[in-house]
Amino acid sequence: MEKLFKLQENKTTVKTEILAGLTTFLSMAYILFVNPSALSTTGMDMSAVFVATALAAVVGSLLMGLIANYPIGLAPGIGLSSFFAYTVCAQWGIPWETALSGVLVSGCVFIVLTVTGIREKIINAIPTELKFAVGAGIGFFIAFLGLKNAGIIVGNKATLVALGDLHNSAVLLAVFGIVVTIILMTLNINGAIFIGMAATVIVGMIFQLIDVPTQIVAPIPDITPTFGQAIFHLGDIFTPQMLIVILTFFFIDFFDTAGTLVAVANQAGFMKDNKVPRATRALFADSSATIVGSILGTSTTTSYVESTAGVAVGGRTGLTAIVIAICFGLSMFFSPLLGVITSAVTTPALVIVGILMIGNVAHIDWAKFEIAVPCFMVILMMVLSFSIASGIALGFIFYPITMFFKGRYKEVHPIMYILMVLFILYFVFIV
């Protein structure tokens, strides 16, 4: 174990790594229930998605630990599953089987770009401000989605949206969950999101708003309904619309992972000359997990920023990631708990994750109008159009325009001009 993870070199112990792994797992365990809840709206079998989610987390975390030796947990990302369910499938009418094929292809593209080094060129081409704007926009989108699903925010003919019925018991349960989770987060309680969901479930059962499960532990559910569909439907991806889907899957995962790597490396003290050691290995693990996850039957698998919770208690090596993988493996025996996960229970998780992601706006130079406009468009239009892809597209269209007329056109990478044209064509011929 010392030879594999270099514990002494990283000034850690087996005990510390196990504690770090458990801490990170509790911080990201909510995805076991939130992801199946979101993807089931597309017609996917919830139990099968539950297993696929757990297995994707197992594979991703194992690869991260063994290949990159980083204390980072992986699992299907909320932002990506939201895009998958509510934009690709619900808005665009793309079958979930075809959408899974898009996830598979995006993972393959990610691997190719990782091993060839092209990924760095793409990172350099897209301005930092837009990367932060995308993260913040997804945060707003996720929070809005959670509030909408819980009935806290509802449709209104006069004002488009309005506050929901706060006298409704289910709505009040969601509000309770949000308040409790916010308090736990404020107190820096490890696993606050997971504990908040559990508290919401218990209160829901007490007031008979949630059915009490007849059992807690059960055999692992059948994954057959989703397994292999990504491969069987590869022939359906050759459309302009699916090209946008694949690019969006790739784009979000690409920078989500890069951001997590930088955050963890900074916190753990791994950064050297402003570079992340073994970054290529970490990105390879992430993209490989996406491929495996899509074949199993779940949306894009990505690195979790919640891994910083484990680093905070001393996690420094891949052994932390191995412990996370083991925990996700054991979780597959608790599928009966899926029945108690209502929208009121998942909403606190979505709101809190949204709050954490919105922090990206602090890194945007709002004083420069040519920067503020495209960033504002990304964030605002993700929510108002209820589409992550549309928000990204509008921001990427306005950035070259504002920079050109500001006289800063030489600072815009040629790739950004190409993307502007592609996204204009996207609105003309696809949307």
Side-chain angles (χ1 to χ4, degrees), residues 41 81 401:
T41 63
S81 63
I401 293 174

Side-chain angles (χ1 to χ4, degrees), residues 298-312:
T298 185
S299 53
T300 307
T301 302
T302 188
S303 301
Y304 265 59
V305 74
E306 283 87 346
S307 301
T308 54
V311 173

Side-chain angles (χ1 to χ4, degrees), residues 57-88:
V58 169
V59 172
S61 300
L62 281 176
L63 290 175
M64 184 63 74
L66 296 174
I67 296 177
N69 196 26
Y70 269 116
I72 297 176
L74 286 84
I78 286 185
L80 288 153
S81 63
S82 298
F83 172 67
F84 183 108
Y86 302 106
T87 298
V88 177

Side-chain angles (χ1 to χ4, degrees), residues 57-407:
V58 169
V59 172
S61 300
L62 281 176
L63 290 175
M64 184 63 74
L66 296 174
I67 296 177
N69 196 26
Y70 269 116
I72 297 176
L74 286 84
I78 286 185
L80 288 153
S81 63
S82 298
F83 172 67
F84 183 108
Y86 302 106
T87 298
V88 177
C89 296
Q91 283 193 343
W92 294 350
I94 295 174
W96 63 265
E97 296 91 342
T98 306
L100 282 178
S101 298
V103 175
L104 173 59
V105 173
S106 70
C108 293
V109 171
F110 199 179
I111 283 186
V112 172
L113 295 181
T114 298
V115 299
T116 58
I118 297 176
R119 63 182 178 82
E120 293 188 9
K121 293 183 178 180
I122 297 177
I123 288 178
N124 294 331
I126 299 174
T128 303
E129 291 88 349
L130 283 183
K131 298 172 191 173
F132 286 127
V134 169
I138 293 174
F140 275 107
F141 179 86
I142 289 173
F144 178 72
L145 177 65
L147 296 172
K148 169 185 170 293
N149 289 345
I152 297 175
I153 296 296
V154 297
N156 184 287
K157 290 183 179 180
T159 61
L160 294 183
V161 293
L163 194 63
D165 181 10
L166 296 182
H167 298 286
N168 182 285
S169 299
V171 173
L172 287 175
L173 180 61
V175 172
F176 166 81
I178 293 172
V179 172
V180 169
T181 309
I182 286 175
I183 292 173
L184 293 172
M185 291 289 294
T186 303
L187 294 174
N188 295 319
I189 303 296
N190 289 327
I193 296 178
F194 183 79
I195 296 172
M197 290 178 68
T200 307
V201 168
I202 293 172
V203 171
M205 290 179 182
I206 292 174
F207 288 94
Q208 298 181 340
L209 299 173
I210 295 176
D211 294 332
V212 179
T214 56
Q215 59 183 132
I216 297 178
V217 179
I220 298 174
D222 183 15
I223 197 175
T224 303
T226 60
F227 183 77
Q229 296 299 322
I231 297 175
F232 303 150
H233 292 267
L234 279 172
D236 299 331
I237 67 170
F238 300 103
T239 65
Q241 196 174 46
M242 279 305 299
L243 175 61
I244 297 297
V245 170
I246 293 169
L247 287 175
T248 305
F249 279 140
F250 168 78
F251 176 83
I252 298 173
D253 184 38
F254 192 89
F255 294 110
D256 194 22
T257 301
T260 298
L261 281 176
V262 171
V264 173
N266 262 322
Q267 186 175 353
F270 294 148
M271 295 285 284
K272 296 179 180 179
D273 300 324
N274 203 34
K275 294 182 179 179
V276 180
R278 306 183 303 280
T280 299
R281 295 185 182 184
L283 290 169
F284 180 82
D286 183 274
S287 52
S288 298
T290 289
I291 293 174
V292 173
S294 66
I295 294 173
L296 293 170
T298 185
S299 53
T300 307
T301 302
T302 188
S303 301
Y304 265 59
V305 74
E306 283 87 346
S307 301
T308 54
V311 173
V313 298
R316 292 294 182 274
T317 74
L319 181 55
T320 293
I322 301 302
V323 173
I324 296 170
I326 293 172
C327 290
F328 271 109
L330 294 174
S331 69
M332 288 189 288
F333 292 97
F334 295 89
S335 61
L337 295 179
L338 278 172
V340 304
I341 307 302
T342 65
S343 58
V345 176
T346 58
T347 291
L350 296 175
V351 171
I352 297 302
V353 173
I355 292 172
L356 297 176
M357 295 181 71
I358 289 167
N360 285 300
V361 298
H363 305 291
I364 299 173
D365 190 352
W366 296 103
K368 295 180 179 178
F369 193 72
E370 66 274 21
I371 299 297
V373 170
C375 292
F376 178 77
M377 288 296 176
V378 168
I379 296 170
L380 180 69
M381 295 311 294
M382 274 192 193
V383 178
L384 295 186
S385 68
F386 208 71
S387 169
I388 293 173
S390 294
I392 292 173
L394 284 167
F396 277 48
I397 289 173
F398 273 99
Y399 180 78
I401 293 174
T402 55
M403 292 293 284
F404 180 85
F405 284 99
K406 188 65 177 179

